[in-house]
Amino acid sequence: MKKILFLLSFALLLCYPSASLFYAATGLQLWFERMVPVLFPFMILSGIVIRQNLTDSITEVLSPFLSPLFHITPGGIYCLIVGFLCGFPMGARTVAQMYERGSLSRREAAHLLSFCNNIGPVYFLSFLLPTIGCKDRRLPFFLFGMYGIPLLYGIFVGATGFGLPDPQKQGVGAKNSSVGKPVENISLSLEYAMDSAIHGITVLGGYMILFNLCNLIPYACARLFHLELTESFLGVCNCLFEITSGVRRVKDALPAAVLICLPMGGLSCIAQTKSMLKGTDLSLKTYLLHKGVQTLLAALYYLFLFRFLFLRLFPA
């Protein structure tokens, strides 16, 4: 099966060179314009903060409120903040780094991973909502759908333990969970953070190009079988492969479909998350289970909004 898939992939690239070049260039452009300027500085700074053991100090003010609410430690609060403010895949990256250093137990790392790896607000407010034609008066509803649902889900998982590993099985990253690792020289932290960020951002770029090339599949099917596929349909397929280029294609034609795709983030975001978890025993399957539940909740929420509430509150 693997050989067949690889042969088909090569055949698509050779048979449709112009389309292949277009999709690959689109992925590269989006990576350079959207990912590098936003994520790369945060990757460096977050790496330094973690290796200097500054996470508890940064979250000291929020700990008395957020720790009992989400059932997480001060280090977990730092992962929560980064995951919601910085966007895919910084939530997963931060959780994995702190888990590897022994600052999080396996159970807490799995809990944070279940709801802290989301689309960032800068991307959501400055690119996605304007592209799909969001009106200002609907903004609070979209913000709740994007961030309120995962926050409430995180509270639910913390209270019930749904989908979390056995607390007795701490995993490889929690041998020194009470103390973490000692603070190192700042220059070493900077060097490590820089190397790690360069590697991480490069891998993300590769995934964006790869999954943009997956758009060759519906393109080739349409050409071979003489199908007349609408641009909206192709755009939704694009969202399932790589969300950013898909949003550009769909625009304001199917806003609900785009918003429903956001919790999972498409195959590209899943692959990026898997890359961030490499070297740990954190389960990607469990992560996908939680994201699947949030996608279902988002689908119910947005379908209700667009079908009933928006038509009554904000008629066209």
Side-chain angles (χ1 to χ4, degrees), residues 278-309:
K278 186 178 180 180
T280 73
D281 58 355
L282 297 175
S283 172
L284 183 69
K285 291 182 180 179
T286 303
Y287 167 80
L288 293 177
L289 167 66
H290 291 298
K291 282 297 183 181
V293 174
Q294 291 173 64
T295 299
L296 176 60
L297 293 174
L300 296 174
Y301 175 75
Y302 287 120
L303 290 176
F304 171 77
L305 285 185
F306 282 91
R307 180 64 180 86
F308 300 105
L309 192 60

Side-chain angles (χ1 to χ4, degrees), residues 2 6 56 66 78 90-91 111 117 147 150 170 176 185 199 203 233 239 247 257 292 304 311:
K2 291 181 179 179
F6 279 115
D56 289 4
L66 294 181
Y78 177 77
M90 279 298 295
H111 175 201
N117 198 38
Y147 303 108
Q170 291 297 317
N176 301 310
N185 184 280
H199 175 265
V203 169
F233 174 81
C239 286
V247 171
F304 171 77
L311 291 178

Side-chain angles (χ1 to χ4, degrees), residues 34-35 38-40 42-43 46 78-95 113 115-125 146-147 201 204 243-244 262-265 269-270 272-273 276 287 291:
R34 298 287 172 182
M35 297 284 283
V38 176
L39 284 185
F40 187 64
F42 280 112
M43 285 181 170
S46 181
Y78 177 77
C79 296
L80 187 155
I81 294 172
V82 172
F84 275 85
L85 293 183
C86 300
F88 275 118
M90 279 298 295
R93 178 183 175 85
T94 306
V95 169
L113 194 61
F115 73 103
C116 287
N117 198 38
N118 303 292
I119 297 292
V122 174
Y123 173 94
F124 187 67
L125 294 172
M146 187 67 251
Y147 303 108
I201 201 70
L204 301 189
I243 191 71
T244 303
L262 292 181
M264 194 70 73
C269 286
I270 294 173
Q272 292 169 27
T273 300
M276 297 299 103
Y287 167 80
K291 282 297 183 181

Side-chain angles (χ1 to χ4, degrees), residues 43-56 58 78 82 98 101 186 189 193:
M43 285 181 170
I44 297 174
L45 291 174
S46 181
I48 295 173
V49 166
I50 292 172
R51 297 188 74 84
Q52 290 292 304
N53 292 346
L54 297 175
T55 56
D56 289 4
I58 291 175
Y78 177 77
V82 172
M98 293 193 66
R101 288 182 61 80
I186 184 65
S189 294

Side-chain angles (χ1 to χ4, degrees), residues 26 28-29 122 135 142 165 172 184 186 219 222 225 231 244 250 310-311:
T26 299
L28 181 61
Q29 180 185 16
V122 174
K135 298 178 181 179
F142 292 132
V172 298
E184 62 189 12
I186 184 65
Y219 175 84
F225 301 106
E231 186 64 18
T244 303
V250 176
F310 281 173
L311 291 178

